[in-house]
Amino acid sequence: MQVLAVASEIYPLVKTGGLADVAGALPLALGEIGVQVKSLMPAYPAVLPKLGGAPAHEVLAIPDLFGGPARVLEARHAGLDLLLLDAPHLYDRLGGPYISETGADHPDNWARFAALSKAAALIADGAIPGFQPNILHAHDWQAGLAPVYVAFGGGRRVRSVMTIHNLAFQGAFAPEVFAKLGLPRSAWSLEGVEYYGSVGFLKGGLHAADVVTTVSPTYAEEILTGEGGMGLDGLLAGRGNRLVGIVNGIDTDAWDPETDAALAATYTTETLARRQENKRALEAEFGLPPADTPIFCVISRLTWQKGMDVLCEAVDDIVASGVRLCIFGSGDRMIEGAFLAAHGRHPQAVGVRIGYDEALAHRIQGGADAIIIPSRFEPCGLTQLCGLRYGCVPVVSRVGGLADTVINANHAAVQSNVATGTIFAPVTAKSLHDAVVRTRNLFNEPALWQAMQKRGMATDVSWSVSAARYADLYRDLLKEGAQ
Ligand code: ADP
Ligand code: GLC
């Protein structure tokens, strides 16, 4: 079995969110169980310098890829087998992978990611000598056209998997784009990329792929509803048992409190008291005076999806309940401003850092008592998994992967010693505040609290179970293809 994975971001080379974590960690976990994966991503300007001493060599030249020459470079980095699509006319520019310096989408995103998908289809068709993938695994809308190019390309049919990480981002473009994609006219249809009169990259992939997966079982159900389906619920329901939810894991080597170099003090379940040192460091870093009251943290995109406006609304009540907050992330300017204003009102109790910093995310998980994730929807969520692993107790809304990975400390769960966090619904300031108070009450019972932290730390949040499920899925597809 040879797998070609396609994603627009891969940790540790480029990351804007959980997609990169998954695209970086799943191939490693699959490798451990004997499934070989090569991962294709764009060679953004930041990528090649990060390879350091490991040289990239050309394995494919594409004379004209959406308006300019491109080549595919092969490299190994951080245990990953990478195929880097080097196309300066598409990727060599300032800003992030999707947006310019001013925060607007790159105007030619359709071409940038159609090109990624087209290159994937060429590779799937055997364009790189000595590499013949038989599984194509496309992640999110940026890779959504890959299964479409395969299905409509008339070439060799590899089996394809399309994974939804977030249905809110669908890659919908003006209908004029269709003529430039190089797809046959038959692809302008319900079976192709046509989507309410525009071009849908993700929509096309969801139709064309042999199997659709998403990143938790509960999200797989939610996206079949009118509310969660974001216009694609009908199509997804039509896929029947070809839609599968497989929960994400995290890289438990990168996220390991026993060895984490970012922490002031490393610790295990046996040395939990050492977390205190990290809490003191965290207070200093966020400008809060040292105290014994609990610190609840946020490490997140500060957006509506993440329920951050709801948290802003609840801040004053939370502080009044004797809970301090360390807020870290960036996103919506209004929400950033609201948190900074909350810091202004409560300088001793609310610390705010706006930005993006991988090591700081680790230090917060290692020092805060709990992590708040009040998402309105959450396909999987990774920060609650990191929280569990670091004894930073998750306080989460009952949606998507949050509901699938945390065991709510209700009466029965506490009595039978299985709780790992607090779950609340609906996503309102009142219900969030109630959950914070319930969690604070548990914190005030040290024996109960430490038992809960230790259970979280002992929870299997690795990729081992889920990587095996992907491997089974690939195998089933190959069997089917052979019939
Ligand atoms: P999403 O991909 O929807 O943003 P996830 O929970 O799946 O949410 O993944 C978010 C990832 O990004 C996690 O690895 C988290 O630690 C990281 N992260 C989020 N905000 C920041 C930040 N401000 N600095 C560093 N890492 C962050
Ligand atoms: C998306 C989702 C998040 C998920 C991540 C990785 O960014 O918003 O819930 O954990 O993808 O699958």
Side-chain angles (χ1 to χ4, degrees):
M1 179 154 47
Q2 299 270 2
V3 181
L4 172 64
V6 191
S8 56
E9 51 182 273
I10 299 179
Y11 180 85
L13 290 171
V14 177
K15 168 168 163 178
T16 71
L19 167 62
D21 291 312
V22 173
L26 178 56
L28 299 180
L30 283 166
E32 276 173 27
I33 52 174
V35 177
Q36 288 183 14
V37 181
K38 284 193 199 290
S39 303
L40 175 72
M41 70 174 286
Y44 306 109
V47 169
L48 295 179
K50 279 198 190 160
L51 297 178
H57 63 277
E58 183 176 316
V59 288
L60 176 63
I62 308 173
D64 181 13
L65 187 67
F66 291 89
R71 49 193 197 136
V72 176
L73 308 173
E74 186 163 45
R76 262 192 77 76
H77 182 68
L80 297 166
D81 282 318
L82 297 166
L83 295 170
L84 303 167
L85 180 59
D86 183 28
H89 63 296
L90 298 171
Y91 304 124
D92 193 2
R93 57 188 68 180
L94 298 170
Y98 319 120
I99 55 177
S100 71
E101 282 174 304
T102 61
D105 285 358
H106 294 301
D108 57 346
N109 271 347
W110 68 269
R112 300 173 72 237
F113 296 110
L116 178 68
S117 298
K118 181 69 190 176
L122 292 173
I123 296 167
D125 204 23
I128 297 181
F131 177 49
Q132 182 50 74
N134 40 22
I135 296 284
L136 169 69
H137 189 161
H139 294 276
D140 266 355
W141 74 264
Q142 295 88 347
L145 288 190
V148 178
Y149 280 121
V150 166
F152 286 88
R156 225 184 116 269
R157 275 303 297 269
V158 294
R159 311 294 288 170
S160 55
V161 178
M162 178 83 236
T163 295
I164 304 169
H165 294 266
N166 193 336
L167 208 49
F169 303 108
Q170 299 185 0
F173 298 99
E176 296 74 50
V177 159
F178 179 73
K180 302 176 193 158
L181 294 176
L183 284 164
R185 288 183 66 129
S186 55
W188 183 253
S189 62
L190 200 63
E191 285 69 43
V193 297
E194 195 273 333
Y195 181 54
Y196 295 114
S198 57
V199 176
F201 279 28
L202 181 62
K203 183 265 170 178
L206 296 178
H207 225 293
D210 294 299
V211 170
V212 174
T213 73
T214 189
V215 290
S216 70
T218 294
Y219 193 59
E221 288 173 16
E222 290 168 349
I223 56 180
L224 298 178
T225 65
E227 194 189 345
M230 302 188 169
L232 288 167
D233 37 301
L235 187 166
L236 289 166
R239 303 281 343 225
N241 63 8
R242 293 274 152 164
L243 169 65
V244 183
I246 303 177
V247 75
N248 288 334
I250 55 170
D251 180 335
T252 46
D253 293 326
W255 290 96
D256 183 354
E258 192 173 355
T259 56
D260 194 331
L263 300 181
T266 54
Y267 57 93
T268 66
T269 47
E270 304 306 310
T271 54
L272 256 187
R274 289 169 56 80
R275 286 185 103 260
Q276 196 66 11
E277 196 177 320
N278 296 328
K279 186 167 172 175
R280 291 287 96 86
L282 189 65
E283 288 165 335
E285 196 158 6
F286 276 78
L288 303 177
D292 291 331
T293 53
I295 295 182
F296 287 27
C297 73
V298 164
I299 304 164
S300 181
R301 292 187 283 124
L302 304 178
T303 63
W304 184 89
Q305 175 197 337
K306 301 289 179 181
M308 285 297 136
D309 51 319
V310 175
L311 177 59
C312 288
E313 213 183 310
V315 166
D316 294 347
D317 287 340
I318 290 175
V319 170
S321 305
V323 170
R324 295 176 293 159
L325 294 171
C326 286
I327 310 287
F328 176 49
S330 64
D332 190 319
R333 292 286 134 80
M334 296 267 288
I335 295 176
E336 291 177 359
F339 280 127
L340 290 168
H343 164 72
R345 293 195 301 280
H346 311 285
Q348 311 270 309
V350 179
V352 179
R353 291 276 304 266
I354 303 297
Y356 191 94
D357 177 343
E358 198 77 32
L360 180 55
H362 285 241
R363 293 198 293 277
I364 298 173
Q365 294 277 15
D369 298 294
I371 179 164
I372 305 181
I373 311 167
S375 305
R376 286 193 169 84
F377 67 95
E378 195 62 73
C380 181
L382 300 176
T383 55
Q384 81 281 15
L385 303 180
C386 304
L388 289 169
R389 181 138 174 94
Y390 277 60
C392 183
V393 173
V395 180
V396 304
S397 54
R398 189 185 294 126
V399 294
L402 300 175
D404 289 336
T405 54
V406 175
I407 301 176
N408 182 31
N410 63 19
H411 180 72
V414 171
Q415 290 300 304
S416 42
N417 300 317
V418 293
T420 57
T422 305
I423 305 190
F424 67 93
V427 180
T428 60
K430 173 166 189 328
S431 132
L432 167 58
H433 175 242
D434 290 348
V436 168
V437 169
R438 285 201 300 284
T439 313
R440 179 210 62 193
N441 292 343
L442 292 165
F443 175 87
N444 287 338
E445 294 191 55
L448 257 181
W449 183 257
Q450 279 160 29
M452 192 151 91
Q453 285 179 299
K454 288 181 186 175
R455 269 196 302 276
M457 292 171 76
T459 300
D460 182 6
V461 293
S462 77
W463 269 104
S464 59
V465 172
S466 293
R469 288 205 57 201
Y470 279 107
D472 287 344
L473 188 81
Y474 298 158
R475 266 184 223 108
D476 289 347
L477 281 175
L478 291 184
K479 269 191 226 139
E480 229 176 57
Q483 276 164 13

